[in-house]
Amino acid sequence: MYYKINTYGCQMNVHESERLAKTLEELGYTESKDDNFDIVVFNTCCIRDTAEQKILGHIGKLKKIKRANPKLIVAVVGCMSGQKGKSEELLKKYPFIDIILGANNLEELKNAILTLQNRHKKTILTPDDEKPEVLENIEYTRTSMPNAWVNIMYGCNNFCTYCIVPYVRGRERSRKPEAIINECKTLIESGYKEITLLGQNVNSYGNDFENNEIDFATLLEKIAQIPGDYRVRFMTSHPKDLNEKVIDIIANYDTLCKNIHLPIQSGSNKILKAMNRHYTRENYLEIVKKIREKMTLCGITTDIMVGFPGETEEDFEDTLDIVSQVQFSGAFTYIYSPRKGTPASTMEQIPYEIKSKRIQKLIKAQNEITKKLSRTYEGNVYRVLVEDTKENGNLCGRTDCGRLVTFCGDKSLIGTFKNVLITASQSASLFGTITEEK
Ligand code: 5AD
Ligand code: SF4
């Protein structure tokens, strides 16, 4: 019996698919490497309409396959399935779906499969439970050695007016610090070299504990003190919550990567207010200044949105201006996409042509910055974690500050740290050779 998992969206989803894989393997399934499978799971995303449309297209393609093989189990799980009214819509359009689970019901996959097999009954489970219990001792089939993801918290309390996440993932719930630290220790002892801590807003870690026993900075410091040769990243930080304590701890420990993902979304104070972001462009620039005072070479990456309702040409110019001031080492850029049930979806929308022009201009501006910054790496040596192979036998890995480097070397080096001399760059990509130099 073979399984296939199709994962869409963020790293949280990629990690949760490792959990789904474990569940399926416990039930006797093996991962399919081709088009031959007995169960297919769509682990979905709904952050933008483009994500949803792509997934719906892929589910639609199964109609014929399911007709030819009625025993095929089709499960649709995760964020998209958990939206209000979505399960009814999905079943109406694709009546062949057997299992639907929201992002907070993934632990039900095993029961859902058994119920289908033993009682020929579908499971549709997307309850409106905003604060489900935090489960510990979840097992994963990890496939990303030497990198491992560790979830530190679930959900989000921020309700940015454009965002669907709080509706489909519920309120913030932090995992117990001991459980997180033990998981990190075990991963490091078993050879993982890079741990990425995951949460929608990692800086509010611990805010839901009654006695304020721990905050994100303290958790980070405890993880950084675990003995071993490894490094730690984390995402995502919210500019309203990233404080000096966290910045100091990152600066103090070599194990903590000098790389912060800090979504700005917009450079206009008017738009930031309408987005319910709780910071101004001045606040953002102040944090950037603090980061760079403590860590000159810290990479700062961001998410930026264009075309939020009410965004004028002047507001967009403010975004271009802050992009130019901050000099992000990378930016994920998005066209605002109205999401049903969020406040911004009922505001007056901006025509697509304007959004499209703005994003092109923004991408061009950021590309020029990325290219210019890439050139500053040439001729210098960086410590790189060898992570994977590339086409034509090359290896690739990332510097501490998050830049991707391609270089020659043997596959056996994957999972080791090497010093790499950067010899050339092209847009966001760096190229180099392994060296003994430091
Ligand atoms: N439309 C476009 N982009 C969005 N994001 C979140 N919601 C939307 C939306 N409705 C972006 C934000 C966020 C990233 C993960 O996705 O920039 O930081
Ligand atoms: Fe969405 Fe804002 Fe929460 Fe991020 S912080 S998940 S953008 S609501």
Side-chain angles (χ1 to χ4, degrees), residues 148-208:
W149 287 286
V150 172
N151 236 323
I152 64 165
M153 59 193 299
Y154 302 93
C156 183
N157 286 355
N158 289 317
F159 289 94
C160 301
T161 52
Y162 51 80
C163 189
I164 191 84
V165 169
Y167 303 88
V168 292
R169 287 197 173 264
R171 296 298 69 72
E172 281 173 5
R173 291 99 63 204
S174 302
R175 284 183 64 198
K176 289 271 170 280
E178 311 79 53
I180 299 171
I181 293 161
N182 280 338
E183 187 174 336
C184 293
K185 268 190 194 149
T186 309
L187 288 167
I188 293 163
E189 280 161 12
S190 50
Y192 285 91
K193 297 291 178 197
E194 183 175 291
I195 290 177
T196 305
L197 308 174
L198 294 177
Q200 247 73 43
N201 177 14
V202 290
N203 302 107
S204 53
Y205 173 78
N207 285 358
D208 53 323

Side-chain angles (χ1 to χ4, degrees), residues 31-97:
E31 191 187 1
S32 160
K33 301 280 183 215
D34 51 33
D35 286 340
N36 184 15
F37 42 83
D38 304 277
I39 178 164
V40 54
V41 182
F42 292 87
N43 190 9
T44 63
C45 169
C46 57
I47 195 104
R48 282 169 288 277
D49 190 52
T50 40
E52 274 200 49
Q53 294 311 322
K54 184 161 118 193
I55 300 166
L56 294 176
H58 291 174
I59 299 175
K61 283 201 181 132
L62 276 179
K63 194 172 171 181
K64 264 198 201 150
I65 306 174
K66 177 93 175 182
R67 202 179 289 148
N69 173 17
K71 280 199 178 144
L72 172 72
I73 301 177
V74 181
V76 182
V77 309
C79 292
M80 184 184 84
S81 332
Q83 290 175 93
K84 237 191 169 94
K86 201 71 185 182
S87 54
E88 293 84 351
E89 196 184 314
L90 280 169
L91 282 172
K92 203 166 156 206
K93 211 163 168 193
Y94 310 109
F96 55 83
I97 296 175

Side-chain angles (χ1 to χ4, degrees), residues 134-150:
V134 176
L135 299 175
E136 291 298 352
N137 303 320
I138 295 174
E139 291 193 60
Y140 299 93
T141 298
R142 296 182 186 268
T143 53
S144 55
M145 188 78 150
N147 309 82
W149 287 286
V150 172

